C-alpha cells in the first residue's frame, strides 16, 4: 500500500522529466529571420482635417480634402482607389 501512495509522484516526476528533455532536444530558431508585409493604417491614424466640397472662394470647382497623419511615420497611399 505504501508504494501506491508514491505512484502519482513518480508519474508526475517522469512527465516533467520527459517534457524537459523534449524541450532541450527541440530545434532552435537561431540565425533565422522573418519578414512581414507592412500593415495598413489604423482607423485613427489619418484624420480628415479640412474639406472643400463646394469649391473655394477663388474657384468653385476646386474641391479637395486635407488629411492629417497622427503617426510619426509615413503612410503609403499607393494602390488606394481615388478619383
Amino acid at each position: 500500500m505504501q508504494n501506491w501512495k508514491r505512484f502519482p509522484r513518480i508519474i508526475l516526476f517522469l512527465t516533467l522529466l520527459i517534457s524537459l528533455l523534449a524541450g532541450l532536444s527541440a530545434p532552435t530558431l537561431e540565425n533565422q529571420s522573418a519578414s512581414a508585409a507592412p500593415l495598413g493604417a489604423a482607423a485613427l491614424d489619418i484624420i480628415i482635417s479640412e474639406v472643400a466640397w463646394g469649391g473655394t472662394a477663388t474657384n468653385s470647382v476646386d474641391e479637395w480634402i486635407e488629411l492629417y497623419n497622427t503617426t510619426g511615420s509615413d503612410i503609403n497611399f499607393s494602390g488606394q482607389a481615388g478619383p
Side-chain angles (χ1 to χ4, degrees):
M1 192 67 159
Q2 293 260 346
N3 291 337
W4 283 105
K5 290 182 181 180
R6 293 185 195 168
F7 184 72
R9 291 182 192 167
I10 293 172
I11 294 297
L12 178 64
F13 174 76
L14 289 175
T15 303
L16 292 175
L17 182 63
I18 291 169
S19 299
L20 177 66
L21 293 175
L24 291 176
S25 66
T28 60
L29 299 176
E30 293 178 24
N31 299 328
Q32 293 184 3
S33 62
S35 62
L39 297 174
L44 296 177
D45 288 348
I46 302 168
I47 297 173
I48 299 174
S49 58
E50 198 171 343
V51 177
W53 59 272
T56 60
T58 58
N59 189 348
S60 63
V61 294
D62 188 18
E63 297 175 344
W64 50 269
I65 63 171
E66 181 178 276
L67 303 175
Y68 177 70
N69 181 1
T70 62
T71 68
S73 59
D74 293 339
I75 296 176
N76 187 355
F77 282 104
S78 64
Q80 301 296 317

